[in-house]
Structures are given as structure tokens and as C-alpha cells.
Amino acid sequence: MDKQFTVVFRNVGQVYFPQTRVECHYSLTSDHQWSSSDWIGISEVGCSSVKQYYTYTWALVPEGYTEGAGVNCCALFQASYLPRPSALEYQFIYVNKMGKVCARSRHFTFRAPKPLEELETLKEERDEEDGEEELMLVITKAQLLQCRLEECLKKQADIQQALDLAKEETEKEKESSRKAKVEWELEREAMKEEISELRDNVRLNCEILKKVEGKHKNVKYSQEYLTFELSKLRAENDESQQRIKDLEDDIKVLNGREKEENGDMERLKDRVKKTSSQMKHDEEKRKCLQVEYEAAVVEVRGLQERLDASEHVAESLRRELRELGTRQGHTHTELHQARLQVAQLTLLLSEENLVLREERANWTLEREAYKHAAETDAKKFQELSCEVQRKEEWLQEERLEREKLEVELGRERDCNRVLQSDAKRELQELMASLRKAQKEREEQQADKQDLVIYIRQLEQRLEVGPETESDGEIPTCISPDSSSEDEENASSASPRSICSPLFLSTPLERSDRVEILAAETRIQSKDDTQ
């Protein structure tokens, strides 16, 4: 049945005194739904209804309680509302707002303390200003033990709260470290992606530069071929040389830009190496923090062991109370003998006072040890918080550096875009110049063909003219040898005409000069025949 209860009563004694207040300690489990209408009552054992209670108090929870969380609580019953001493057995009951019993405690009774056996004498020393006087206080042993139990329970609750706070802080720090690790991994992946993009861009730029160099080589070969063909044209030779010089200057500029881009790539590689070394250093710091967390967990375990020891001490005190109850039964039958043995009892009381003083000394030592442990824990938590602040500052610095790198990368991308646009523009200009050169070449070839056709027509006219003339000096027929020689002379004259200024003169001047050349060739052929 106790396993089905959602509330558990703790540290319930067997005997309570009506002259002192009673503390009821209980724990709310995660399955319990607490309400402000919940109450705790003291009722007789075997009562048939919840309403048959002797007294009750409201079930309170500490501040900051959240529904669904387990918590330890305490309720107080004042002495004026407690039952009178009797042999009846009572128990604590926890009732929720619906009137349902959520828990029942074990049985206990209310008894009056014995006058002689349970009295204790306490000495309180005053200061030196009061004359160092000692005051003797007479208190029941049950009250004294109950006060000690209350102190032990308070200390236990304080230590439990400190442990809970320590666990919460450790969990928060673990979550913050995990979040920082996840953010760092995301940033590292983003940086890797950006670096890969930059590498791809650099590769594309290198390929574009190689293509430009290949095209430039083709342009060089075509320019050489054109210069070889157009070397005979004096007027266009200077223009072609000037173009070649301009192209060489452009190539130098492109080579300089390529060197600058290579330098920028080396700088980016150095930055990536620095960021990787910083990441390794951060991983080492994280490992150190994990080691410190493990040490803190070990210290928390030590505190838990100390709590267990304090619980054992509380159990021993309860056993002493039980033994005192048994002694009460024995001493009730032996009252007459006890009166005769007052002297022996006084000696026993003095011995017990000594034992109590020793226990006080031990309790003070344990308290100092707990205080020292709490101070060390506080120092360690402060150090951890300082380290967390340092990590946050370092993360902010890393973010600033990342932003700077992003700005620099944006600038470099803009520069690359500008360079690409310049290269494209230069390529377009080179293509336009090549097209112009090809058009001029085609025009020159057309002019050459026109010249060759015109020369052949003139030769045909010159060959037809001597046949029709009546002059005997000129032969009426032309031999095959002479025609072949004429053709050779015409073929030799055709390149000469290309080299001569006929190509650059007007059409009328060209016709006159062609006639003169034809006449000269004819005279030379006549001389050869003679």
C-alpha cells in the first residue's frame, strides 16, 4: 500500500510529548498534484472517516515549487492543539483537495515525560564582563534530543538544498557547454564551407586565367602569322606592333593580378591554420573542464556519504529514545529503589553530561567540516563561473573575428568579380580586334584576287593587241614558251605588286601602274625571245 501512495512521511517517531510542538516531515513525489487545499491531520488509528481527526494543518510547499517535481516539506503542530497523554495510538494522514487520503504514517502515542529520569542540566557561561557566572538550566531529555534532532534535520535539509543547487548548476553548465560545442561545430562547418567555396572560386579563376593564357597564345600565333603576312605592308606593320605591345602590357597586368590572388590565397591558408590551432586549444580546455566536473561529482558523492552518516547518527538517537522508553518501563517498577539510589543516579547524570559535551564537541567539529566543504564548493563554483565568463568572452572574440573574416571575404569576392569583369572586357576587346584583323585580311585577299584578275585581263588584252596590229616588228603569234614566261613574270609580278605601293594607291593609279608593269614584262619577254 505504501508504494501506491504519492506522499511519503519521514522521520515519524513512536512517542511525542504534548508540551512541545510536533514537526511532521513528508515528501511529495513527482506523481502527486499538489493544491493549496491539501491538509495534514492527526487522527486515531482505525477511524472510519477522514473527518474524524483530532487536529489538522495545511500542507505547505517551499517557494519555487514546480508541479511534477519531488520535494521535501515540513508541517508544524502547535502544543496547544495536540492530544493529551494517553495510551491511544495516533497517525498522520495526508488528504488532497478531493478528500482522498494520499498517505498514512506509522502509529505513535502522546506521553507525558517522567519528572526525575528525563531531566537534563545544561550550563551556560556568561561573558567576562558579567563575572563569568554559570547558569544551570533543567530541561527534559526528550526535549533536548528533539532539539538536536531538529538541528540535525535542518542541517540535513540545508545540505540537501546545497546538493540540489550544485546538481542544477552542474546540469546548467553541462547544457551551456553542450550548446557552446554545438555552436562551435556549426561555425566550424560554416568556415569549412566558406573555405571550400573560396577554393572553388580560386580554381575557377585559375581555369579562367589558363583559358585566357591559351587564348592569348592563340592570339600571339595569329598575330605572328598576320605580322608575317602583313610584314610586307609597311603602313599596317607599325599598328600591329603597337597592338602587340599593348597586349603584352595587359598580360603583365594579368600576371600581376594573378600573383596578388595567389598571395591572398596564402594569407587565407594561414588564417585557416590559426583557427585550427585555436580549435585544438579549445578542445583541450573542454577536456580540463570535464575533469573538473568529474571532481565536483566526486565531491558531491562525498557529501552524500556524509548525509548518510548523519542519517545513521539520527537513527542511533532514535534507538536511544527507544531505549529510554524501555528504561521508563523498568524505572516505573523500580521507583522505590531509585529514590534510595539518588547518589548513583547523580553520578550517572554527570557521566552523561560528559558524554553530551563530547557529542557537542564532535558536532561542532562536523559543523566546521561541513562549513569548510561548503566554502570549498562555493570557491569551485566561482571558479567555474569565471571560466564560463572567459569562455563567453572568447566566443564573442571568435564571433568578431568571424565577422571580420566574412567582411574580408566579401571584399575579396568583390575584387574577384571586378577582376573577372575586367578580364571579360579585355577578352571582348581582343576578340573584336581579331575580328577586325580577319575582316582586313579578307579585304586584302579580295583585293589580291581583284588584282590578279585585272592583271590576267591586261595580259589577255596585250596578247590580243599584237595580233591585230600591222607592224612587222611585233610577232603575230606567241609561242608556248613565251606564254609560260609571261605567266611566270605575271606570277612574279603579283607578289611584287602586293609589296609595292599599288595596294595602297587609288584604283586609277593602280590601273596605270599595272599597264606599265605589263609593258615592261612584255619588253622583257621580247628581249628574251631575241
Side-chain angles (χ1 to χ4, degrees):
M1 294 296 289
D2 293 339
K3 292 181 180 179
Q4 294 178 357
F5 290 150
T6 58
V7 180
V8 179
F9 287 102
R10 299 182 296 105
N11 302 325
V12 179
Q14 291 182 349
V15 179
Y16 289 101
F17 301 108
Q19 291 82 5
T20 59
R21 66 179 183 178
V22 175
E23 291 184 357
C24 178
H25 296 274
Y26 58 96
S27 299
L28 302 179
T29 62
S30 59
D31 296 331
H32 181 72
Q33 293 181 355
W34 177 82
S35 175
S36 60
S37 300
D38 295 353
W39 56 277
I40 299 170
I42 297 173
S43 64
E44 293 182 5
V45 176
C47 63
S48 61
S49 176
V50 177
K51 295 180 180 180
Q52 295 178 359
Y53 58 86
Y54 190 85
T55 184
Y56 77 96
T57 184
W58 297 110
L60 302 177
V61 293
E63 294 181 357
Y65 171 73
T66 56
E67 188 175 355
V71 66
N72 297 324
C73 306
C74 179
L76 296 176
F77 292 92
Q78 299 298 327
S80 60
Y81 298 102
L82 297 175
R84 293 180 181 179
S86 64
L88 295 175
E89 291 184 344
Y90 296 90
Q91 64 180 356
F92 295 115
I93 58 171
Y94 188 100
V95 183
N96 60 6
K97 63 180 179 179
M98 303 299 292
K100 181 181 177 182
V101 178
C102 297
R104 292 179 184 273
S105 70
R106 65 181 181 179
H107 304 165
F108 56 88
T109 58
F110 288 94
R111 293 180 185 177
K114 301 300 177 182
L116 185 60
E117 298 170 347
E118 298 180 357
L119 294 176
E120 293 288 338
T121 57
L122 299 176
K123 292 181 181 181
E124 292 185 359
E125 295 181 356
R126 294 185 179 180
D127 297 333
E128 294 180 357
E129 296 178 357
D130 297 335
E132 296 182 355
E133 294 181 357
E134 293 183 355
L135 294 176
M136 298 293 289
L137 297 176
V138 180
I139 304 172
T140 59
K141 193 171 184 179
Q143 287 181 355
L144 181 61
L145 292 174
Q146 190 171 1
C147 291
R148 288 180 181 175
L149 277 173
E150 289 175 357
E151 290 178 357
C152 292
L153 292 172
K154 287 181 180 178
K155 289 179 182 178
Q156 187 178 357
D158 294 335
I159 292 167
Q160 189 68 34
Q161 288 179 357
L163 284 172
D164 295 335
L165 291 172
K167 287 179 181 178
E168 288 178 358
E169 289 180 356
T170 52
E171 288 177 357
K172 288 180 181 178
E173 289 175 357
K174 285 180 181 178
E175 289 178 358
S176 62
S177 63
R178 287 174 186 172
K179 289 180 181 178
K181 189 175 181 180
V182 171
E183 290 178 357
W184 176 250
E185 288 178 355
L186 292 172
E187 290 177 358
R188 185 176 65 183
E189 290 177 357
M191 290 292 288
K192 285 182 180 179
E193 290 177 357
E194 289 178 358
I195 290 165
S196 63
E197 288 178 358
L198 287 172
R199 287 178 180 174
D200 295 333
N201 291 326
V202 171
R203 286 175 185 173
L204 291 172
N205 290 327
C206 291
E207 290 177 358
I208 290 166
L209 287 171
K210 287 180 181 179
K211 289 179 181 179
V212 170
E213 287 179 355
K215 289 180 180 179
H216 183 66
K217 287 179 181 178
N218 294 326
V219 170
K220 271 188 174 180
Y221 290 134
S222 63
Q223 284 291 334
E224 288 177 358
Y225 183 71
L226 288 171
T227 51
F228 179 75
E229 286 185 353
L230 298 175
S231 62
K232 297 175 183 180
L233 300 171
R234 295 176 183 176
E236 294 182 357
N237 190 9
D238 296 332
E239 293 179 359
S240 63
Q241 286 179 358
Q242 188 66 32
R243 288 178 183 175
I244 290 165
K245 287 180 181 180
D246 294 334
L247 289 170
E248 287 178 354
D249 293 332
D250 294 333
I251 289 163
K252 288 179 181 178
V253 172
L254 289 170
N255 290 323
R257 290 178 181 175
E258 185 179 0
K259 288 179 180 179
E260 289 178 357
E261 288 180 354
N262 291 323
D264 294 333
M265 283 296 297
E266 290 177 356
R267 291 174 187 171
L268 288 171
K269 288 179 180 178
D270 294 333
R271 288 178 182 173
V272 170
K273 289 179 181 178
K274 288 179 181 178
T275 52
S276 62
S277 63
Q278 190 69 28
M279 287 167 66
K280 290 179 181 177
H281 186 63
D282 293 335
E283 289 178 356
E284 292 176 356
K285 284 185 177 180
R286 286 176 186 169
K287 289 179 181 178
C288 294
L289 286 172
Q290 287 179 357
V291 172
E292 290 179 358
Y293 285 145
E294 290 176 357
V297 170
V298 171
E299 289 180 358
V300 169
R301 288 177 182 173
L303 289 173
Q304 189 68 33
E305 290 176 357
R306 290 178 184 175
L307 281 172
D308 295 333
S310 65
E311 287 179 356
H312 287 303
V313 172
E315 288 179 357
S316 63
L317 289 172
R318 289 173 191 168
R319 289 175 185 173
E320 287 180 359
L321 285 171
R322 291 173 185 174
E323 290 175 358
L324 286 170
T326 55
R327 286 179 185 177
Q328 285 177 3
H330 290 293
T331 53
H332 186 71
T333 58
E334 297 176 355
L335 278 173
H336 298 288
Q337 294 177 1
R339 289 176 182 175
L340 297 173
Q341 295 175 357
V342 172
Q344 293 178 0
L345 288 172
T346 54
L347 292 172
L348 291 171
L349 286 171
S350 63
E351 289 177 359
E352 287 179 358
N353 286 325
L354 291 173
V355 172
L356 286 171
R357 287 178 182 176
E358 290 178 357
E359 288 180 355
R360 281 183 181 177
N362 292 326
W363 277 109
T364 53
L365 291 173
E366 289 180 358
R367 187 184 295 170
E368 290 178 356
Y370 285 140
K371 285 181 180 179
H372 184 68
E375 289 176 356
T376 54
D377 291 334
K379 288 180 181 178
K380 286 181 180 179
F381 284 128
Q382 288 178 358
E383 290 177 357
L384 289 171
S385 63
C386 292
E387 288 181 359
V388 169
Q389 289 179 357
R390 291 175 186 171
K391 291 293 287 181
E392 289 178 354
E393 291 176 356
W394 179 79
L395 286 171
Q396 288 179 357
E397 291 177 357
E398 288 293 326
R399 286 173 183 171
L400 292 172
E401 289 181 358
R402 187 184 68 183
E403 290 177 357
K404 290 180 181 178
L405 288 171
E406 288 177 354
V407 173
E408 290 179 358
L409 289 171
R411 291 176 181 174
E412 289 175 357
R413 286 177 183 172
D414 295 333
C415 294
N416 289 325
R417 288 174 183 173
V418 172
L419 291 171
Q420 288 177 0
S421 63
D422 293 335
K424 288 180 180 178
R425 195 184 300 162
E426 290 173 358
L427 284 171
Q428 290 176 359
E429 291 177 356
L430 289 171
M431 292 295 289
S433 62
L434 284 171
R435 288 171 183 172
K436 288 180 181 179
Q438 287 177 358
K439 287 180 181 179
E440 290 175 357
R441 186 178 176 187
E442 289 175 356
E443 290 176 357
Q444 289 174 3
Q445 288 178 358
D447 292 335
K448 284 180 183 180
Q449 289 176 1
D450 294 335
L451 285 171
V452 170
I453 292 165
Y454 186 70
I455 288 166
R456 287 178 182 175
Q457 290 176 358
L458 287 173
E459 286 177 354
Q460 289 176 1
R461 289 176 185 176
L462 290 171
E463 287 176 359
V464 172
E467 289 179 359
T468 55
E469 289 178 356
S470 58
D471 194 359
E473 292 178 0
I474 298 168
T476 59
C477 64
I478 297 169
S479 64
D481 296 330
S482 65
S483 64
S484 64
E485 287 176 358
D486 292 334
E487 289 176 358
E488 288 176 359
N489 291 323
S491 64
S492 64
S494 61
R496 189 182 298 168
S497 65
I498 293 168
C499 297
S500 66
L502 286 170
F503 185 74
L504 299 173
S505 61
T506 59
L508 295 172
E509 291 175 354
R510 285 180 185 176
S511 61
D512 295 335
R513 289 177 183 176
V514 168
E515 288 177 357
I516 292 166
L517 287 170
E520 289 178 357
T521 53
R522 188 173 60 189
I523 291 165
Q524 286 179 1
S525 64
K526 285 180 180 181
D527 292 334
D528 292 332
T529 53
Q530 288 177 1

